[in-house]
Amino acid sequence: MDVLYFAWVRERIGLPREKVETEAATVNDLVVELRAREERYDMAFSDLSALRVALDQQLSDFDAPLTGVREVAFFPPMTGG
């Protein structure tokens, strides 16, 4: 699946997107896999309350299943303006 990173998440990881092979059942499981990769991922995902996630461009929760999902995007909360 494609995993996209935006704003400071992208800056910490150093990539705007990547293809990820995963057996993760939920977004939380995917985060655990990513955090185990390298310190930069661990830092980016250390505080999930500071992150939002979208599955196939629809806002979702971290406990959402990944079955059939093609794209996961991580980003900080957006503010209005």
Side-chain angles (χ1 to χ4, degrees), residues 35-54:
R35 289 186 73 180
R37 284 180 159 193
E38 295 178 34
E39 184 178 339
R40 61 188 173 139
Y41 290 91
D42 190 40
M43 287 177 49
F45 293 105
S46 63
D47 181 9
L48 294 185
S49 69
L51 284 174
R52 299 295 178 264
V53 64

Side-chain angles (χ1 to χ4, degrees), residues 18-58:
E18 62 183 323
K19 287 226 181 267
V20 174
E21 296 291 327
T22 183
E23 296 297 320
T26 66
V27 176
N28 277 320
D29 295 339
L30 176 61
V31 169
V32 169
E33 287 182 14
L34 292 171
R35 289 186 73 180
R37 284 180 159 193
E38 295 178 34
E39 184 178 339
R40 61 188 173 139
Y41 290 91
D42 190 40
M43 287 177 49
F45 293 105
S46 63
D47 181 9
L48 294 185
S49 69
L51 284 174
R52 299 295 178 264
V53 64
L55 304 179
D56 292 331
Q57 300 183 9
Q58 297 292 316

Side-chain angles (χ1 to χ4, degrees), residues 1-2 22 24-26 55-57 64-72:
M1 75 179 50
D2 289 324
T22 183
T26 66
L55 304 179
D56 292 331
Q57 300 183 9
L66 291 175
T67 305
V69 172
R70 291 169 292 165
E71 179 184 274
V72 179

